[in-house]
């Protein structure tokens, strides 16, 4: 049986942290320690929080071993991405220039097309979703093309207005009696 007896300053510090945090996992873990400090049995804590009794024991042991740091949620390690960060500039350039500059018959990139292009050019076998995460990490959106409206040549615009005016002079008025 794990008994937790906290000094009043430590109990107040944990209670203040419990009330201030937005992280649900940390709140539950702090609540386990605070409930155990108040004398609540492990099976009752587990029933109140909807967790297994062994989970309560695990977090009480973690708190006893490492204090508040033992309760903090840790980021899952997972496998590192297959697309190296050094390719960020190249991928950004490909997306900005468009697939046509890369010799593809496409108007816009898709994540799947970009994954296929990575495979063909760099030999990196990756999935559509991995390319999507990589693009999000380097702040690139494939489906938001940027359009540039450039001013036309003023001489050509004036010539076009004259041509349209000449076309309009030769027309007869149209009767609209429906």
């Amino acid at each position: 049986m794990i008994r937790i007896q906290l000094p009043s300053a430590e109990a107040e510090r944990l209670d203040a942290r419990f009330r201030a945090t937005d992280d649900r996992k940390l709140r539950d873990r702090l609540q386990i320690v605070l409930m155990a400090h108040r004398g609540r049995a492990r099976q009752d804590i587990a029933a109140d929080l909807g967790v297994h009794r062994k989970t309560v024991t695990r977090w009480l042991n973690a708190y006893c071993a490492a204090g508040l740091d033992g309760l903090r949620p840790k980021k899952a390690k997972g496998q590192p991405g297959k697309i190296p960060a050094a390719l960020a500039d190249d991928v950004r350039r490909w997306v900005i220039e468009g697939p046509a500059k890369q010799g593809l018959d496409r108007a816009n990139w898709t994540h799947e097309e970009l994954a296929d292009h990575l495979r063909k050019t760099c030999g990196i076998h990756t999935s559509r979703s991995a390319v999507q995460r990589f693009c999000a990490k380097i702040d690139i959106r494939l489906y938001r093309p940027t359009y540039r409206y450039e001013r036309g040549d003023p001489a050509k615009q004036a010539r076009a207005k004259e041509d349209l005016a000449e076309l309009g002079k030769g027309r007869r008025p149209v009767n609209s009696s429906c």
Side-chain angles (χ1 to χ4, degrees), residues 16-149:
R17 186 63 183 254
F18 169 77
R19 295 177 192 283
T21 189
D22 290 333
D23 186 357
R24 184 70 197 167
K25 289 181 179 181
L26 183 59
R27 282 179 60 87
D28 286 347
R29 295 167 188 179
L30 287 168
Q31 192 170 15
I32 287 171
V33 173
L34 290 170
M35 291 172 89
H37 166 69
R38 293 182 187 119
R40 192 108 169 112
R42 285 182 298 161
Q43 62 268 18
D44 294 337
I45 296 171
D48 290 345
L49 297 179
V51 296
H52 196 273
R53 181 181 45 82
K54 289 183 180 180
T55 302
V56 173
T57 303
R58 179 185 319 125
W59 293 118
L60 291 175
N61 285 334
Y63 178 76
C64 289
L68 184 58
D69 288 335
L71 301 178
R72 294 186 202 282
K74 294 173 181 58
K75 185 168 171 59
K77 292 183 176 149
Q79 185 177 2
K82 293 180 181 177
I83 306 171
L87 282 179
D89 291 334
D90 290 337
V91 171
R92 185 176 283 115
R93 182 178 44 82
W94 293 344
V95 171
I96 291 171
E97 290 176 350
K101 292 268 186 168
Q102 304 306 316
L104 299 172
D105 188 22
R106 302 266 181 271
N108 290 318
W109 287 105
T110 63
H111 292 109
E112 194 157 350
E113 286 287 333
L114 201 52
D116 188 51
H117 190 65
L118 277 169
R119 182 183 56 79
K120 289 176 181 172
T121 58
C122 303
I124 297 172
H125 295 274
T126 188
S127 66
R128 177 203 56 80
S129 56
V131 171
Q132 185 176 3
R133 285 189 301 273
F134 183 76
C135 287
K137 189 168 78 173
I138 64 171
D139 293 327
I140 287 287
R141 289 185 176 175
L142 302 186
Y143 299 111
R144 274 195 130 167
T146 55
Y147 299 101
R148 290 181 22 198
Y149 296 103

Side-chain angles (χ1 to χ4, degrees), residues 144-160:
R144 274 195 130 167
T146 55
Y147 299 101
R148 290 181 22 198
Y149 296 103
E150 296 178 355
R151 297 290 253 169
D153 183 18
K156 288 182 181 179
Q157 287 179 347
R159 229 177 299 128

